[in-house]
Amino acid sequence: MPPCDFTPERYQDKEKEDFKPFNLAYQQSLAYSRVLEIHEQHLSPVPTAYFPTPLLLSQGHMEWLFDYEGNRYLDFFSGIVTVSVGHCHPKVNAAAQKQIGRLWHTSTVFFHPPIHEYAEKLSALLPEPLKVIFLVNSGSEANDLAMLMARAHSNNTDIISFRGAYHGCSPYTLGLTNVGLFKMELPSGMGCQSTMCPDVFRGPWGGSHCRDSPVQTIRKCSCAPGPTGQGGRHRAEGCCQAKDQYIEQFKDTLSTSVAKSIAGFFAEPIQGVNGVVQYPKGFLKEAFELVRERGGVCIADEVQTGFGRLGSHFWGFQTHDVLPDIVTMAKGIGNGFPMAAVVTTPEIAKSLARRLHHFNTFGGNPMACAIGSAVIEVIKEENLQENSQEVGTYMLLKFAKLRDEFEIIGDVRGKGLMVGIEMVKDKASHQPLPCEEVNQIHQDCKCMGLLIGRGGIFSQTFRIAPSMCITKPEVDFAVEVFRSALIQHMERRAK
Protein backbone atom coordinates (compact mmCIF):
# COMPACT_ATOMS: atom_id res chain seq x y z
CA MET A 1 0.00 0.00 0.00
CA PRO A 2 1.40 3.46 -0.88
CA PRO A 3 2.33 5.70 2.05
CA CYS A 4 -0.01 8.27 3.61
CA ASP A 5 1.23 11.25 5.62
CA PHE A 6 -1.93 11.47 7.74
CA THR A 7 -2.46 9.89 11.17
CA PRO A 8 -6.11 9.45 12.15
CA GLU A 9 -7.47 9.93 15.64
CA ARG A 10 -7.91 6.74 17.63
CA TYR A 11 -11.52 5.59 17.70
CA GLN A 12 -12.68 4.99 21.29
CA ASP A 13 -15.88 3.35 22.44
CA LYS A 14 -17.35 5.87 24.88
CA GLU A 15 -19.21 3.10 26.73
CA LYS A 16 -15.98 1.37 27.78
CA GLU A 17 -14.65 1.69 31.33
CA ASP A 18 -11.34 3.23 30.22
CA PHE A 19 -13.09 5.91 28.16
CA LYS A 20 -11.18 9.22 28.31
CA PRO A 21 -13.57 12.14 27.81
CA PHE A 22 -12.29 15.25 26.02
CA ASN A 23 -9.03 13.60 24.96
CA LEU A 24 -8.38 15.26 21.58
CA ALA A 25 -6.27 12.33 20.38
CA TYR A 26 -9.37 10.12 20.47
CA GLN A 27 -12.57 10.09 18.46
CA GLN A 28 -15.26 9.32 21.03
CA SER A 29 -18.10 7.32 19.58
CA LEU A 30 -20.22 4.15 19.59
CA ALA A 31 -19.09 0.54 19.77
CA TYR A 32 -19.44 -1.37 16.49
CA SER A 33 -22.06 -3.70 17.99
CA ARG A 34 -24.09 -0.69 19.15
CA VAL A 35 -23.95 0.85 15.67
CA LEU A 36 -25.39 -2.36 14.19
CA GLU A 37 -28.09 -2.43 16.86
CA ILE A 38 -29.19 1.17 16.26
CA HIS A 39 -29.11 0.67 12.50
CA GLU A 40 -31.42 -2.33 12.73
CA GLN A 41 -33.82 -0.64 15.15
CA HIS A 42 -34.04 2.91 13.81
CA LEU A 43 -32.68 3.29 10.26
CA SER A 44 -34.08 2.29 6.88
CA PRO A 45 -34.44 -1.48 6.43
CA VAL A 46 -33.42 -1.19 2.77
CA PRO A 47 -30.11 -3.12 2.50
CA THR A 48 -27.67 -0.57 1.07
CA ALA A 49 -24.42 -1.39 2.93
CA TYR A 50 -21.62 -3.16 1.08
CA PHE A 51 -20.22 -6.40 2.55
CA PRO A 52 -21.75 -8.97 4.96
CA THR A 53 -19.96 -7.18 7.83
CA PRO A 54 -20.55 -3.50 7.01
CA LEU A 55 -17.53 -1.23 7.10
CA LEU A 56 -17.63 1.33 9.94
CA LEU A 57 -15.56 4.34 8.90
CA SER A 58 -14.16 6.87 11.34
CA GLN A 59 -12.13 9.35 9.30
CA GLY A 60 -11.04 10.36 5.82
CA HIS A 61 -8.10 12.22 4.32
CA MET A 62 -7.88 12.94 0.57
CA GLU A 63 -8.01 9.53 -1.23
CA TRP A 64 -7.80 7.56 2.03
CA LEU A 65 -10.41 6.25 4.47
CA PHE A 66 -9.87 4.81 7.95
CA ASP A 67 -12.16 2.41 9.79
CA TYR A 68 -12.87 2.32 13.52
CA GLU A 69 -10.04 -0.18 14.07
CA GLY A 70 -7.49 2.09 12.38
CA ASN A 71 -7.28 0.12 9.11
CA ARG A 72 -6.50 2.26 6.06
CA TYR A 73 -8.28 1.92 2.70
CA LEU A 74 -7.67 3.43 -0.72
CA ASP A 75 -11.05 4.88 -1.71
CA PHE A 76 -11.66 4.17 -5.39
CA PHE A 77 -15.38 4.97 -5.30
CA SER A 78 -15.29 8.37 -3.53
CA GLY A 79 -18.63 8.13 -1.75
CA ILE A 80 -20.46 7.02 -4.94
CA VAL A 81 -18.58 9.37 -7.30
CA THR A 82 -19.06 12.33 -4.94
CA VAL A 83 -15.80 13.27 -3.21
CA SER A 84 -14.28 15.07 -6.17
CA VAL A 85 -11.14 16.72 -4.73
CA GLY A 86 -10.44 14.44 -1.75
CA HIS A 87 -11.91 13.69 1.67
CA CYS A 88 -11.60 16.68 4.03
CA HIS A 89 -9.47 18.63 1.54
CA PRO A 90 -7.67 21.34 3.60
CA LYS A 91 -8.84 24.25 1.43
CA VAL A 92 -12.46 23.05 1.35
CA ASN A 93 -12.35 22.43 5.11
CA ALA A 94 -11.00 25.95 5.70
CA ALA A 95 -13.77 27.51 3.57
CA ALA A 96 -16.43 25.55 5.47
CA GLN A 97 -14.96 26.48 8.87
CA LYS A 98 -14.72 30.16 7.95
CA GLN A 99 -18.34 30.28 6.73
CA ILE A 100 -19.69 28.27 9.67
CA GLY A 101 -18.36 30.96 12.00
CA ARG A 102 -19.94 33.73 9.95
CA LEU A 103 -23.44 32.73 8.80
CA TRP A 104 -25.03 29.32 8.22
CA HIS A 105 -28.36 30.10 6.67
CA THR A 106 -30.38 32.94 5.18
CA SER A 107 -32.66 31.45 2.46
CA THR A 108 -33.04 33.46 -0.74
CA VAL A 109 -35.37 36.05 0.79
CA PHE A 110 -32.16 37.79 1.93
CA PHE A 111 -28.92 38.24 0.01
CA HIS A 112 -25.49 37.09 1.20
CA PRO A 113 -22.40 37.32 -1.06
CA PRO A 114 -21.33 33.61 -1.20
CA ILE A 115 -24.29 32.67 -3.44
CA HIS A 116 -23.48 35.44 -5.90
CA GLU A 117 -19.76 34.67 -5.84
CA TYR A 118 -20.51 31.02 -6.52
CA ALA A 119 -23.00 31.77 -9.32
CA GLU A 120 -20.37 33.86 -11.09
CA LYS A 121 -17.74 31.11 -10.81
CA LEU A 122 -20.06 28.32 -11.96
CA SER A 123 -21.57 30.25 -14.88
CA ALA A 124 -18.05 31.01 -16.17
CA LEU A 125 -17.52 27.24 -16.59
CA LEU A 126 -20.52 26.78 -18.91
CA PRO A 127 -20.94 27.87 -22.53
CA GLU A 128 -23.51 30.38 -23.73
CA PRO A 129 -26.49 30.45 -23.35
CA LEU A 130 -26.33 28.19 -20.24
CA LYS A 131 -26.04 31.01 -17.75
CA VAL A 132 -29.05 30.88 -15.37
CA ILE A 133 -28.50 28.84 -12.21
CA PHE A 134 -31.03 27.30 -9.83
CA LEU A 135 -29.34 25.95 -6.68
CA VAL A 136 -30.85 22.93 -4.91
CA ASN A 137 -29.62 20.18 -2.56
CA SER A 138 -29.39 16.82 -4.38
CA GLY A 139 -29.24 15.22 -7.80
CA SER A 140 -32.81 13.95 -7.52
CA GLU A 141 -33.99 17.46 -6.67
CA ALA A 142 -32.06 18.90 -9.62
CA ASN A 143 -33.57 16.39 -12.05
CA ASP A 144 -37.04 16.95 -10.57
CA LEU A 145 -36.68 20.64 -11.33
CA ALA A 146 -35.28 19.98 -14.81
CA MET A 147 -38.34 17.83 -15.62
CA LEU A 148 -40.58 20.66 -14.48
CA MET A 149 -38.64 23.17 -16.60
CA ALA A 150 -38.84 20.98 -19.71
CA ARG A 151 -42.60 20.64 -19.37
CA ALA A 152 -43.18 24.29 -18.51
CA HIS A 153 -41.13 25.47 -21.49
CA SER A 154 -42.39 23.00 -24.11
CA ASN A 155 -45.98 22.81 -22.86
CA ASN A 156 -45.68 19.06 -23.45
CA THR A 157 -45.56 16.09 -21.08
CA ASP A 158 -43.59 13.14 -22.48
CA ILE A 159 -39.95 12.78 -21.44
CA ILE A 160 -37.61 10.07 -22.78
CA SER A 161 -34.68 8.46 -20.96
CA PHE A 162 -32.47 5.44 -21.61
CA ARG A 163 -33.00 1.98 -20.20
CA GLY A 164 -30.37 1.54 -17.52
CA ALA A 165 -30.50 5.26 -16.70
CA TYR A 166 -30.42 6.52 -13.13
CA HIS A 167 -31.70 10.07 -12.61
CA GLY A 168 -32.85 9.88 -8.99
CA CYS A 169 -35.12 8.11 -6.55
CA SER A 170 -37.74 10.79 -5.84
CA PRO A 171 -41.36 10.07 -6.85
CA TYR A 172 -40.94 12.28 -9.93
CA THR A 173 -37.53 11.07 -11.13
CA LEU A 174 -38.36 7.39 -10.60
CA GLY A 175 -40.10 7.66 -13.98
CA LEU A 176 -36.78 8.57 -15.62
CA THR A 177 -34.78 5.93 -13.73
CA ASN A 178 -34.82 2.62 -15.59
CA VAL A 179 -33.00 0.18 -13.33
CA GLY A 180 -35.29 -2.57 -12.04
CA LEU A 181 -34.08 -2.28 -8.45
CA PHE A 182 -35.53 1.25 -8.33
CA LYS A 183 -38.92 0.48 -9.89
CA MET A 184 -42.15 0.18 -7.90
CA GLU A 185 -45.40 -1.68 -8.51
CA LEU A 186 -47.23 1.59 -7.78
CA PRO A 187 -47.53 4.39 -10.36
CA SER A 188 -44.81 7.06 -10.19
CA GLY A 189 -43.13 9.49 -12.57
CA MET A 190 -45.97 9.71 -15.05
CA GLY A 191 -45.28 10.75 -18.63
CA CYS A 192 -41.84 9.13 -18.85
CA GLN A 193 -40.85 6.70 -21.58
CA SER A 194 -37.73 4.54 -21.83
CA THR A 195 -35.74 3.88 -24.98
CA MET A 196 -33.00 1.37 -25.82
CA CYS A 197 -29.62 2.16 -24.28
CA PRO A 198 -26.96 2.23 -27.03
CA ASP A 199 -24.61 -0.07 -25.11
CA VAL A 200 -21.89 -1.19 -27.51
CA PHE A 201 -20.76 -4.04 -25.25
CA ARG A 202 -24.01 -5.67 -24.09
CA GLY A 203 -26.42 -4.28 -26.71
CA PRO A 204 -27.21 -5.86 -30.08
CA TRP A 205 -24.77 -3.62 -31.99
CA GLY A 206 -21.26 -2.44 -31.27
CA GLY A 207 -17.67 -2.91 -32.21
CA SER A 208 -14.08 -2.04 -31.66
CA HIS A 209 -14.18 1.64 -32.69
CA CYS A 210 -17.42 2.97 -31.16
CA ARG A 211 -16.45 4.57 -27.87
CA ASP A 212 -14.75 7.81 -26.91
CA SER A 213 -12.31 5.93 -24.71
CA PRO A 214 -8.71 4.70 -24.79
CA VAL A 215 -10.17 1.19 -24.42
CA GLN A 216 -12.65 -0.33 -26.88
CA THR A 217 -14.76 -3.48 -26.75
CA ILE A 218 -13.30 -6.72 -28.09
CA ARG A 219 -16.32 -7.04 -30.44
CA LYS A 220 -15.46 -6.74 -34.10
CA CYS A 221 -17.26 -4.49 -36.56
CA SER A 222 -16.98 -3.55 -40.21
CA CYS A 223 -16.69 0.20 -39.59
CA ALA A 224 -13.56 1.98 -40.74
CA PRO A 225 -11.06 2.74 -37.94
CA GLY A 226 -9.90 6.25 -37.06
CA PRO A 227 -6.56 7.78 -37.99
CA THR A 228 -3.50 5.86 -36.80
CA GLY A 229 -2.62 6.69 -33.21
CA GLN A 230 -6.03 8.11 -32.32
CA GLY A 231 -7.06 5.13 -30.21
CA GLY A 232 -10.47 5.03 -31.88
CA ARG A 233 -11.32 8.50 -30.58
CA HIS A 234 -12.82 10.01 -33.73
CA ARG A 235 -13.79 8.68 -37.14
CA ALA A 236 -15.35 10.24 -40.17
CA GLU A 237 -18.87 11.48 -39.47
CA GLY A 238 -21.58 8.87 -40.08
CA CYS A 239 -19.28 5.83 -40.24
CA CYS A 240 -20.48 4.01 -37.14
CA GLN A 241 -22.99 1.33 -38.11
CA ALA A 242 -23.82 0.60 -34.46
CA LYS A 243 -24.67 4.27 -33.91
CA ASP A 244 -26.96 4.24 -36.95
CA GLN A 245 -28.78 1.13 -35.71
CA TYR A 246 -29.32 2.62 -32.25
CA ILE A 247 -30.58 5.86 -33.80
CA GLU A 248 -33.19 3.81 -35.68
CA GLN A 249 -34.33 2.41 -32.33
CA PHE A 250 -34.55 5.95 -30.95
CA LYS A 251 -36.64 7.00 -33.94
CA ASP A 252 -38.89 4.01 -33.32
CA THR A 253 -39.50 5.21 -29.75
CA LEU A 254 -40.38 8.67 -31.08
CA SER A 255 -42.76 7.15 -33.63
CA THR A 256 -44.56 4.69 -31.37
CA SER A 257 -44.26 5.51 -27.67
CA VAL A 258 -44.65 9.26 -27.20
CA ALA A 259 -46.85 12.08 -28.49
CA LYS A 260 -46.00 13.97 -31.66
CA SER A 261 -44.62 16.79 -29.50
CA ILE A 262 -42.53 15.96 -26.45
CA ALA A 263 -41.16 17.79 -23.42
CA GLY A 264 -37.62 16.48 -23.48
CA PHE A 265 -34.90 13.85 -23.35
CA PHE A 266 -32.62 13.09 -20.38
CA ALA A 267 -29.18 11.51 -20.83
CA GLU A 268 -26.15 10.94 -18.66
CA PRO A 269 -23.06 11.54 -20.84
CA ILE A 270 -21.86 8.18 -19.46
CA GLN A 271 -24.29 6.02 -17.50
CA GLY A 272 -23.11 5.68 -13.91
CA VAL A 273 -25.34 3.32 -11.93
CA ASN A 274 -25.68 1.05 -14.97
CA GLY A 275 -21.95 0.35 -14.84
CA VAL A 276 -20.18 3.18 -16.72
CA VAL A 277 -21.92 2.51 -20.04
CA GLN A 278 -20.71 4.58 -23.00
CA TYR A 279 -22.65 5.25 -26.19
CA PRO A 280 -21.33 5.24 -29.77
CA LYS A 281 -19.68 8.50 -30.79
CA GLY A 282 -22.16 10.77 -32.53
CA PHE A 283 -25.27 9.14 -31.04
CA LEU A 284 -26.24 11.92 -28.63
CA LYS A 285 -25.72 14.58 -31.30
CA GLU A 286 -28.26 12.94 -33.62
CA ALA A 287 -30.63 12.12 -30.77
CA PHE A 288 -30.64 15.76 -29.61
CA GLU A 289 -31.55 16.90 -33.14
CA LEU A 290 -34.46 14.45 -33.28
CA VAL A 291 -35.74 15.58 -29.87
CA ARG A 292 -35.65 19.25 -30.87
CA GLU A 293 -37.56 18.47 -34.06
CA ARG A 294 -40.36 17.23 -31.76
CA GLY A 295 -40.35 20.44 -29.70
CA GLY A 296 -38.46 18.91 -26.78
CA VAL A 297 -35.50 20.17 -24.79
CA CYS A 298 -32.32 18.18 -24.15
CA ILE A 299 -31.10 17.65 -20.59
CA ALA A 300 -27.57 16.49 -19.69
CA ASP A 301 -27.39 14.82 -16.29
CA GLU A 302 -23.84 15.67 -15.17
CA VAL A 303 -24.32 14.45 -11.60
CA GLN A 304 -21.50 11.89 -11.97
CA THR A 305 -19.62 13.06 -15.07
CA GLY A 306 -19.17 16.79 -14.38
CA PHE A 307 -16.44 18.95 -12.86
CA GLY A 308 -13.50 17.54 -14.82
CA ARG A 309 -13.86 13.87 -13.89
CA LEU A 310 -13.73 12.73 -17.53
CA GLY A 311 -10.41 14.50 -18.07
CA SER A 312 -10.60 15.69 -21.68
CA HIS A 313 -13.42 18.14 -20.89
CA PHE A 314 -14.92 19.79 -17.83
CA TRP A 315 -18.44 18.57 -18.69
CA GLY A 316 -19.46 15.20 -20.06
CA PHE A 317 -21.75 16.73 -22.71
CA GLN A 318 -18.72 18.42 -24.28
CA THR A 319 -17.24 14.98 -25.04
CA HIS A 320 -20.28 14.35 -27.30
CA ASP A 321 -19.97 17.73 -29.06
CA VAL A 322 -23.50 18.73 -28.01
CA LEU A 323 -25.01 21.76 -26.28
CA PRO A 324 -27.87 20.84 -23.94
CA ASP A 325 -30.75 23.15 -23.05
CA ILE A 326 -30.55 22.19 -19.37
CA VAL A 327 -27.66 20.77 -17.33
CA THR A 328 -28.10 19.15 -13.91
CA MET A 329 -25.23 18.61 -11.48
CA ALA A 330 -24.65 17.36 -7.92
CA LYS A 331 -22.24 14.99 -6.10
CA GLY A 332 -18.78 16.37 -7.03
CA ILE A 333 -20.11 19.94 -6.99
CA GLY A 334 -19.74 20.04 -3.19
CA ASN A 335 -17.13 17.31 -2.55
CA GLY A 336 -19.67 15.48 -0.37
CA PHE A 337 -21.57 18.48 1.01
CA PRO A 338 -25.29 18.29 0.04
CA MET A 339 -25.47 20.63 -2.94
CA ALA A 340 -26.79 20.53 -6.51
CA ALA A 341 -27.68 22.85 -9.35
CA VAL A 342 -29.73 23.18 -12.52
CA VAL A 343 -28.28 25.45 -15.20
CA THR A 344 -30.34 26.53 -18.18
CA THR A 345 -30.94 29.28 -20.70
CA PRO A 346 -32.62 32.62 -19.85
CA GLU A 347 -35.52 31.64 -22.12
CA ILE A 348 -36.25 28.35 -20.31
CA ALA A 349 -35.76 29.98 -16.90
CA LYS A 350 -38.36 32.62 -17.79
CA SER A 351 -40.79 29.91 -18.98
CA LEU A 352 -40.59 28.32 -15.52
CA ALA A 353 -40.90 31.67 -13.71
CA ARG A 354 -44.07 32.51 -15.66
CA ARG A 355 -45.72 29.28 -14.52
CA LEU A 356 -44.34 28.68 -11.02
CA HIS A 357 -43.07 30.71 -8.07
CA HIS A 358 -40.15 28.34 -7.60
CA PHE A 359 -38.55 28.48 -4.15
CA ASN A 360 -36.08 26.29 -2.26
CA THR A 361 -35.37 26.94 1.44
CA PHE A 362 -31.87 25.43 1.55
CA GLY A 363 -30.84 25.78 -2.10
CA GLY A 364 -27.88 28.13 -2.38
CA ASN A 365 -27.31 28.29 1.37
CA PRO A 366 -24.13 30.11 2.49
CA MET A 367 -22.36 26.93 3.61
CA ALA A 368 -22.94 25.10 0.33
CA CYS A 369 -21.87 28.06 -1.79
CA ALA A 370 -18.67 28.70 0.19
CA ILE A 371 -17.77 25.02 -0.17
CA GLY A 372 -18.77 24.94 -3.86
CA SER A 373 -16.50 27.92 -4.59
CA ALA A 374 -13.59 26.24 -2.79
CA VAL A 375 -14.11 23.04 -4.82
CA ILE A 376 -13.94 24.96 -8.12
CA GLU A 377 -10.77 26.75 -6.96
CA VAL A 378 -9.09 23.46 -5.94
CA ILE A 379 -9.94 21.82 -9.29
CA LYS A 380 -8.25 24.72 -11.09
CA GLU A 381 -5.29 25.30 -8.73
CA GLU A 382 -4.35 21.62 -8.48
CA ASN A 383 -4.96 20.83 -12.18
CA LEU A 384 -7.33 18.03 -11.24
CA GLN A 385 -9.03 17.86 -14.63
CA GLU A 386 -5.63 17.31 -16.23
CA ASN A 387 -4.83 14.73 -13.55
CA SER A 388 -8.07 12.92 -14.35
CA GLN A 389 -7.02 12.71 -17.99
CA GLU A 390 -3.46 11.56 -17.38
CA VAL A 391 -3.97 9.20 -14.43
CA GLY A 392 -7.37 8.01 -15.69
CA THR A 393 -5.95 6.97 -19.08
CA TYR A 394 -3.04 5.25 -17.33
CA MET A 395 -5.51 3.36 -15.13
CA LEU A 396 -7.82 2.35 -18.00
CA LEU A 397 -4.94 0.88 -19.97
CA LYS A 398 -3.69 -1.08 -16.94
CA PHE A 399 -7.14 -2.53 -16.26
CA ALA A 400 -7.48 -3.37 -19.98
CA LYS A 401 -4.43 -5.64 -19.63
CA LEU A 402 -6.32 -7.56 -16.94
CA ARG A 403 -9.19 -8.04 -19.39
CA ASP A 404 -6.73 -9.73 -21.73
CA GLU A 405 -5.47 -11.91 -18.86
CA PHE A 406 -8.75 -13.04 -17.26
CA GLU A 407 -11.67 -14.74 -19.04
CA ILE A 408 -14.16 -13.38 -16.48
CA ILE A 409 -13.49 -9.73 -17.38
CA GLY A 410 -15.79 -9.07 -20.31
CA ASP A 411 -15.24 -5.35 -20.74
CA VAL A 412 -13.18 -2.45 -19.44
CA ARG A 413 -14.52 0.96 -20.37
CA GLY A 414 -14.72 4.58 -19.38
CA LYS A 415 -12.99 7.90 -19.65
CA GLY A 416 -10.82 9.85 -17.23
CA LEU A 417 -11.50 8.76 -13.67
CA MET A 418 -14.80 7.03 -14.39
CA VAL A 419 -14.18 3.37 -15.18
CA GLY A 420 -16.32 0.24 -15.41
CA ILE A 421 -15.08 -3.37 -15.30
CA GLU A 422 -17.85 -5.75 -16.35
CA MET A 423 -17.58 -9.29 -15.02
CA VAL A 424 -18.87 -12.22 -17.08
CA LYS A 425 -19.01 -16.02 -16.92
CA ASP A 426 -16.97 -16.04 -20.12
CA LYS A 427 -16.21 -13.65 -22.95
CA ALA A 428 -18.13 -15.63 -25.56
CA SER A 429 -21.52 -15.61 -23.81
CA HIS A 430 -21.38 -12.18 -22.09
CA GLN A 431 -23.52 -13.76 -19.36
CA PRO A 432 -23.08 -11.80 -16.09
CA LEU A 433 -20.83 -13.39 -13.48
CA PRO A 434 -23.12 -14.67 -10.67
CA CYS A 435 -23.65 -12.10 -7.94
CA GLU A 436 -22.17 -14.28 -5.19
CA GLU A 437 -18.89 -14.54 -7.13
CA VAL A 438 -18.76 -10.78 -7.75
CA ASN A 439 -19.48 -10.26 -4.04
CA GLN A 440 -16.50 -12.39 -3.07
CA ILE A 441 -14.11 -10.51 -5.37
CA HIS A 442 -15.47 -7.25 -3.96
CA GLN A 443 -14.90 -8.46 -0.39
CA ASP A 444 -11.36 -9.66 -1.19
CA CYS A 445 -10.46 -6.20 -2.55
CA LYS A 446 -11.71 -4.62 0.67
CA CYS A 447 -9.68 -7.04 2.77
CA MET A 448 -6.55 -5.95 0.86
CA GLY A 449 -7.29 -2.26 1.44
CA LEU A 450 -9.13 -1.25 -1.75
CA LEU A 451 -12.70 0.09 -1.83
CA ILE A 452 -14.50 -0.03 -5.20
CA GLY A 453 -18.15 0.33 -6.20
CA ARG A 454 -20.75 -1.79 -7.96
CA GLY A 455 -23.16 -1.17 -10.81
CA GLY A 456 -25.03 -2.70 -13.70
CA ILE A 457 -28.51 -4.20 -13.98
CA PHE A 458 -27.22 -7.42 -12.40
CA SER A 459 -24.65 -5.72 -10.12
CA GLN A 460 -22.04 -7.37 -12.34
CA THR A 461 -19.86 -4.33 -12.98
CA PHE A 462 -17.21 -2.86 -10.71
CA ARG A 463 -17.35 0.94 -10.75
CA ILE A 464 -14.08 2.76 -10.21
CA ALA A 465 -14.21 6.51 -9.63
CA PRO A 466 -11.57 7.77 -7.17
CA SER A 467 -11.17 11.38 -6.12
CA MET A 468 -9.40 13.41 -8.78
CA CYS A 469 -6.28 13.81 -6.61
CA ILE A 470 -5.32 10.17 -7.18
CA THR A 471 -1.75 9.30 -8.26
CA LYS A 472 -0.19 6.67 -10.53
CA PRO A 473 1.45 4.72 -7.64
CA GLU A 474 -2.00 4.43 -6.05
CA VAL A 475 -3.41 3.18 -9.35
CA ASP A 476 -0.60 0.58 -9.47
CA PHE A 477 -1.61 -0.60 -6.00
CA ALA A 478 -5.32 -0.76 -6.92
CA VAL A 479 -4.67 -2.74 -10.10
CA GLU A 480 -2.42 -5.19 -8.25
CA VAL A 481 -5.03 -5.67 -5.51
CA PHE A 482 -7.74 -6.28 -8.11
CA ARG A 483 -5.53 -8.75 -9.97
CA SER A 484 -4.78 -10.59 -6.72
CA ALA A 485 -8.51 -10.79 -5.94
CA LEU A 486 -9.15 -12.28 -9.40
CA ILE A 487 -6.36 -14.85 -8.93
CA GLN A 488 -7.88 -15.85 -5.57
CA HIS A 489 -11.26 -16.18 -7.25
CA MET A 490 -9.91 -18.38 -10.06
CA GLU A 491 -8.20 -20.58 -7.46
CA ARG A 492 -11.49 -20.99 -5.57
CA ARG A 493 -13.21 -21.85 -8.85
CA ALA A 494 -10.60 -24.49 -9.66
CA LYS A 495 -11.21 -26.19 -6.29
Side-chain angles (χ1 to χ4, degrees), residues 201 217-218 403 406-413 421-424 426-427 430:
F201 172 71
T217 69
I218 54 174
R403 179 189 63 182
F406 293 94
E407 180 67 13
I408 58 172
I409 298 181
D411 196 28
V412 172
R413 53 183 176 256
I421 303 175
E422 184 154 351
M423 309 303 293
V424 295
D426 57 78
K427 287 183 170 69
H430 281 196

Side-chain angles (χ1 to χ4, degrees), residues 160 162 195-200 204-205 237-238 240-255 265 279-291 293-294 320 322:
I160 299 170
F162 287 130
T195 191
M196 180 183 280
C197 174
D199 180 351
V200 300
W205 305 287
E237 198 68 36
C240 181
Q241 295 177 16
K243 182 261 293 177
D244 294 342
Q245 295 279 15
Y246 286 118
I247 283 292
E248 288 305 310
Q249 290 295 311
F250 194 79
K251 288 178 179 176
D252 186 63
T253 300
L254 289 169
S255 301
F265 167 51
Y279 324 127
K281 295 190 291 289
F283 177 90
L284 277 191
K285 196 165 192 176
E286 285 194 39
F288 275 26
E289 289 169 6
L290 293 168
V291 167
E293 286 171 9
R294 294 292 192 105
H320 294 275
V322 296

Side-chain angles (χ1 to χ4, degrees), residues 90-319:
K91 180 161 185 167
V92 180
N93 275 8
Q97 287 161 359
K98 184 178 178 182
Q99 188 61 45
I100 208 168
R102 180 176 288 160
L103 183 63
W104 287 28
H105 179 72
T106 60
S107 87
T108 53
V109 298
F110 304 110
F111 286 176
H112 184 56
I115 187 171
H116 303 88
E117 291 167 2
Y118 182 70
E120 190 172 48
K121 284 176 182 166
L122 182 60
S123 64
L125 296 168
L126 287 142
E128 292 285 355
L130 295 166
K131 296 296 177 182
V132 184
I133 300 164
F134 293 74
L135 291 166
V136 292
N137 308 287
S138 73
S140 293
E141 234 185 294
N143 285 332
D144 261 345
L145 180 55
M147 292 174 78
L148 201 57
M149 282 180 178
R151 286 170 171 159
H153 183 69
S154 66
N155 210 31
N156 297 318
T157 300
D158 289 334
I159 299 178
I160 299 170
S161 61
F162 287 130
R163 290 173 204 139
Y166 183 87
H167 296 289
C169 207
S170 65
Y172 218 31
T173 56
L174 278 174
L176 297 176
T177 292
N178 295 305
V179 177
L181 188 64
F182 301 101
K183 287 295 186 185
M184 289 181 69
E185 293 85 353
L186 303 173
S188 61
M190 306 299 286
C192 298
Q193 179 63 49
S194 70
T195 191
M196 180 183 280
C197 174
D199 180 351
V200 300
F201 172 71
R202 190 161 287 284
W205 305 287
S208 54
H209 306 294
C210 298
R211 296 194 294 226
D212 176 21
S213 172
V215 180
Q216 301 293 325
T217 69
I218 54 174
R219 292 172 78 167
K220 300 300 178 188
C221 70
S222 55
C223 302
T228 303
Q230 292 298 305
R233 287 188 61 187
H234 289 289
R235 287 172 296 133
E237 198 68 36
C239 284
C240 181
Q241 295 177 16
K243 182 261 293 177
D244 294 342
Q245 295 279 15
Y246 286 118
I247 283 292
E248 288 305 310
Q249 290 295 311
F250 194 79
K251 288 178 179 176
D252 186 63
T253 300
L254 289 169
S255 301
T256 61
S257 304
V258 293
K260 289 181 180 177
S261 296
I262 65 173
F265 167 51
F266 269 78
E268 303 159 86
I270 298 176
Q271 286 190 334
V273 171
N274 197 25
V276 193
V277 172
Q278 292 182 275
Y279 324 127
K281 295 190 291 289
F283 177 90
L284 277 191
K285 196 165 192 176
E286 285 194 39
F288 275 26
E289 289 169 6
L290 293 168
V291 167
R292 287 171 174 146
E293 286 171 9
R294 294 292 192 105
V297 300
C298 299
I299 301 104
D301 180 340
E302 294 276 359
V303 169
Q304 296 192 38
T305 51
F307 292 91
R309 176 163 290 281
L310 301 189
S312 63
H313 298 78
F314 200 82
W315 303 108
F317 68 79
Q318 294 169 320
T319 69

